[in-house]
Amino acid sequence: MKASLLDQAMAPETLDAAWRKLRREHTPWSIHVSREQLQQHLLKHILECRSQVLSGRYRPQPLRQFPLQKPDGKQRVLSAQYLKDKFVQRALLTVLEPRSEAIFHDDSFAYRPGRSVAMALAKVRERVRIGQAWLVDADISKFFDTIPHRQLVKLLKGFINDSQAMQLIEKWLSQGAHYRSLLRSPRGISQGAILSPLFCNLYLHTFDMALTKANIPFVRFADDFLLFSRVKKDAIKAMHFAKEVLEELGLELHPGKTRIVRSGKSVVFLGERLPDP
C-alpha cells in the first residue's frame, strides 16, 4: 500500500533533508520554545512535531509580524513563520517538488531547483535573436495578495490528492489570507511561507499552459513575464489573451507595469537590459 503524503513527508530521511535546509536559521522553534531550547533537545522536539502531524494534532503557530517602513512613508507588515512550521512545510515541499517538476513548463524559471535568473535571461536573448522582438512586458498586480483561495484550493486538491495533507495546507492558507473581496472570499498567501513559491507556480501553471496552447512564446519568473512575437499586432493580441486568462484566475495585469514594447536597452527584465533585435 502506498504511503500517504504526510507519511512520506514525516519519514526520517525526509525530515533529515528538511532539517539540513533549515539548521542554520536562528528563528525560534515556536512561541514557547526558543532556538537555544530547541538545540538542547532537538530530537525530542522533532519527534514530538512528527507525532503531532501524523496524529492530526498539529496546529500552525501564529505568523510572526514585522512592520516595515516603505519609501513613500506607508507601512507594510511582513509575515514570517516560526521554525516548526517552516520545518513541516519544508518536509512537505521535499515530497511535492518532484511531482511539480514533472508537470511544470520549461519556460517557467522562478522558485525551481536547478533554475535561475541567468537561465531565464538566456531564454529571453534566444527568443529575441530568432526574431521574436516584440514584447508584452508584464507584471501581475499584487499577485501573492490576491490569489483566490477557492480556486487555489481546488487546484491543490487535484494536485496533492491527499485529504489529510490538504486539511493542514488549508490551515496555513487561512493564516495568510489578509485580503477579502466584497463577497468575503479569502484571498492572498503569505510570501514568507516555505510552500508559497510552489503554490505560486502551481496556480500560474494554468496560465503557462493556456499561453502554450495559444502558441504564445513566453518567459515567466514568478509574477513577472514576457510574451514574445514577431510583429506588434500579435503582441497586442497576446496581451489581450493574457489579460483574459488571468481574469479567469481572479488576477489582473498591473496597469502601470505592463506595456507592449520592442526589445532593446530601454527594457529591463529581472535586472538586466534586453538586447536590441
Side-chain angles (χ1 to χ4, degrees), residues 26-42 44-45 48 61 82-84:
H26 300 292
T27 310
W29 177 248
S30 66
I31 295 175
H32 304 294
V33 179
S34 70
R35 186 65 181 80
E36 292 74 22
Q37 290 170 323
L38 168 69
Q39 205 59 48
Q40 288 168 10
H41 304 283
L42 182 61
K44 170 183 172 286
H45 287 296
E48 212 170 68
Q61 299 283 302
Y82 280 96
L83 193 56
K84 184 177 181 179

Side-chain angles (χ1 to χ4, degrees), residues 59-77:
R59 297 292 181 272
Q61 299 283 302
L63 293 173
R64 302 162 72 214
Q65 305 285 340
F66 302 97
L68 179 71
Q69 199 73 22
K70 294 166 72 175
D72 60 7
K74 293 179 181 177
Q75 197 176 74
R76 182 183 177 191
V77 178

Side-chain angles (χ1 to χ4, degrees), residues 120 227 262:
L227 309 181
R262 196 156 165 78

Side-chain angles (χ1 to χ4, degrees), residues 167-186:
Q167 285 174 12
L168 186 51
I169 285 169
E170 287 186 68
K171 288 187 178 81
W172 281 319
L173 286 176
S174 67
Q175 283 188 316
H178 44 79
Y179 170 86
R180 291 180 183 273
S181 71
L182 293 172
L183 298 176
R184 299 193 62 77
S185 300

Side-chain angles (χ1 to χ4, degrees), residues 58-61 81-89 172:
Y58 175 86
R59 297 292 181 272
Q61 299 283 302
Q81 294 173 303
Y82 280 96
L83 193 56
K84 184 177 181 179
D85 292 305
K86 288 187 177 187
F87 179 59
V88 178
Q89 286 204 9
W172 281 319

Side-chain angles (χ1 to χ4, degrees), residues 73-223:
K74 293 179 181 177
Q75 197 176 74
R76 182 183 177 191
V77 178
L78 297 181
S79 299
Q81 294 173 303
Y82 280 96
L83 193 56
K84 184 177 181 179
D85 292 305
K86 288 187 177 187
F87 179 59
V88 178
Q89 286 204 9
R90 175 60 67 179
L92 272 171
L93 181 63
T94 302
V95 176
L96 291 174
E97 202 165 58
R99 292 192 193 183
S100 61
E101 285 300 303
I103 64 169
F104 282 166
H105 199 285
D106 199 43
D107 292 334
S108 159
F109 290 90
Y111 312 133
R112 296 179 60 187
R115 288 174 169 257
S116 65
V117 168
M119 292 169 70
L121 289 167
K123 176 64 72 131
V124 171
R125 289 191 292 270
E126 177 191 328
R127 293 206 182 284
V128 172
R129 182 181 57 78
I130 63 172
Q132 297 173 346
W134 276 101
L135 313 172
V136 178
D137 177 17
D139 179 271
I140 299 171
S141 184
K142 298 179 181 176
F143 173 63
F144 279 91
D145 292 347
T146 57
I147 296 177
H149 281 205
R150 188 179 298 167
Q151 286 166 269
L152 175 61
V153 166
K154 184 179 178 182
L155 187 152
L156 286 173
K157 281 180 177 175
F159 172 72
I160 287 171
N161 196 26
D162 185 300
S163 59
Q164 209 179 352
M166 273 307 304
Q167 285 174 12
L168 186 51
I169 285 169
E170 287 186 68
K171 288 187 178 81
W172 281 319
L173 286 176
S174 67
Q175 283 188 316
H178 44 79
Y179 170 86
R180 291 180 183 273
S181 71
L182 293 172
L183 298 176
R184 299 193 62 77
S185 300
R187 287 174 174 258
I189 60 176
S190 172
Q191 281 186 261
I194 296 278
L195 283 171
S196 289
L198 177 70
F199 295 164
C200 157
N201 278 331
L202 279 168
Y203 198 67
L204 288 179
H205 180 63
T206 302
F207 178 61
D208 296 344
M209 299 315 292
L211 292 173
T212 301
K213 191 174 179 181
N215 294 315
I216 299 172
F218 70 94
V219 167
R220 183 174 65 76
F221 201 92
D223 53 337

